[in-house]
Amino acid sequence: MAKEMLPIVDKPLIQYAVSEAMNAGLVQQAFVTGRTKRSIEDHFDISYELENEIKGSVKEDQLKEIREIRDNCIFTYTRQKQMKGLGHAILTGEPMIGDEAFGVILADDLCITDGDSVMKQMAGLYKQFRCSIVAIEEVPQEETSKYGVIAGEQFQDNLFKITNMVEKPDPKDAPSNMAIIGRYILTPDIFEYIRNTKPGSNGEVQITDALLAQAKNGCVLAYRFKGKRFDCGSLHGYVEATNYCYKKFHDPSE
Ligand code: G1P
């Protein structure tokens, strides 16, 4: 099944991502999916059976969030025919985006915050700086090979101007321990940078490489976000996220 459809307590990962974007005011949502991910489209469509069975019952309340999403967001979908990396996936989405800045959320990185969502925090920064922004977090040095890693000059609390970025470096070669997590705001010239990016780490077209070219020609910022991130692509992160969300949102004794 699509990993984005794995539930964290009572809703799939992809719904957390959609709500986060909606919270940031990003209501036109474009999905780059693949052959095995049809269930994502169905999830955000109306389920007549469910609506009818639940209508007027005490359980109707449970449909509130999904209805709010349906009423406020516009969805478009396309498929990535080959798995050629995140840069390639983003380029596949170009016809749905056009010539404007956009946010990218990788749903398997689940971000939980107390106030504004991570994407909303970043949208605020975009309004101020008008350039591409990546979200970062400090990770143990031995884990740098799982992430894109940046080097940068700090110029504000939690904000860095990127001077270097490397995709999945060996801990000994990593320029820092500041890892990119699955939240980006990208300006539309990124598409041209991606087109000019040769396959890199793992033979895939990496957004990290395209962003480095953009940073060298102008400015790309790295933002140390406020909140907690769970790598739900790993068993440990998935279980940790489940326990955390249950405690935070559902545990009656909390
Ligand atoms: C992708 C990016 C990587 C980033 C990571 C965040 O890697 O290529 O730079 O750090 O997402 O989750 P992936 O996890 O898809 O291998």
Side-chain angles (χ1 to χ4, degrees):
M1 67 186 285
K3 64 181 175 181
E4 296 82 357
M5 287 303 291
L6 287 172
I8 298 290
V9 189
D10 63 344
K11 57 190 177 193
L13 275 167
I14 193 72
Q15 192 170 328
Y16 288 87
V18 163
S19 295
E20 178 178 337
M22 190 173 73
N23 171 274
L26 308 183
V27 292
Q28 293 184 26
Q29 303 196 3
F31 293 70
V32 179
T33 67
R35 275 191 299 284
T36 57
K37 299 184 191 268
R38 189 179 296 166
S39 51
I40 295 176
E41 286 183 52
D42 292 340
H43 182 71
F44 294 106
D45 204 344
I46 293 181
S47 164
Y48 285 104
E49 294 86 349
L50 193 66
E51 293 277 341
N52 263 330
E53 292 295 326
I54 275 187
K55 210 181 202 156
S57 80
V58 283
K59 288 188 176 164
E60 191 164 4
D61 203 41
Q62 294 179 18
L63 290 178
K64 205 167 143 231
E65 183 180 317
I66 193 83
R67 282 177 177 165
E68 195 191 340
I69 287 173
R70 265 195 332 244
D71 290 348
N72 286 292
C73 298
I74 297 165
F75 299 120
T76 41
Y77 299 89
T78 192
R79 289 184 179 197
Q80 188 186 16
K81 293 190 192 80
Q82 283 169 290
M83 306 294 268
K84 288 205 271 184
L86 180 56
H88 178 259
I90 291 172
L91 192 57
T92 306
E94 185 182 15
M96 301 187 288
I97 302 291
D99 192 25
E100 58 179 328
F102 59 101
V104 175
I105 295 184
L106 308 183
D108 52 351
D109 269 343
L110 175 66
C111 292
I112 304 289
T113 57
D114 281 329
D116 290 346
S117 69
V118 174
M119 193 43 84
K120 187 163 186 183
Q121 295 168 34
M122 293 171 75
L125 291 168
Y126 174 74
K127 283 185 189 134
Q128 203 180 340
F129 295 102
R130 303 266 152 196
C131 64
S132 293
I133 307 170
V134 302
I136 51 161
E137 147 177 291
E138 277 157 52
V139 297
Q141 192 75 27
E142 64 272 16
E143 287 183 18
T144 56
S145 58
K146 294 205 276 188
Y147 302 95
V149 177
I150 70 128
E153 290 156 8
Q154 184 162 14
F155 69 99
Q156 257 185 32
D157 224 19
N158 298 323
L159 210 50
F160 302 78
K161 184 172 188 288
I162 289 179
T163 52
N164 195 12
M165 307 173 90
V166 189
E167 180 67 11
K168 307 210 167 83
D170 236 52
K172 62 175 180 359
D173 305 323
S176 77
N177 68 337
M178 292 191 286
I180 302 169
I181 62 124
R183 299 292 181 280
Y184 304 78
I185 286 184
L186 302 172
T187 52
D189 55 324
I190 197 69
F191 294 125
E192 207 45 48
Y193 284 106
I194 300 174
R195 264 189 280 280
N196 293 324
T197 298
K198 299 211 164 58
S201 165
N202 212 8
E204 298 178 333
V205 177
Q206 301 296 346
I207 190 65
T208 307
D209 297 336
L211 277 165
L212 178 59
Q214 196 183 38
K216 284 183 174 159
N217 262 335
C219 184
V220 175
L221 299 180
Y223 168 58
R224 195 160 48 198
F225 66 95
K226 294 187 188 72
K228 222 171 147 37
R229 182 208 51 126
F230 299 92
D231 171 14
C232 293
S234 78
L235 193 58
H236 176 78
Y238 180 73
V239 172
E240 215 187 10
T242 302
N243 290 331
Y244 183 85
C245 288
Y246 177 72
K247 240 179 150 28
K248 191 171 174 72
F249 302 122
H250 304 276
D251 187 350
S253 67
E254 283 293 304

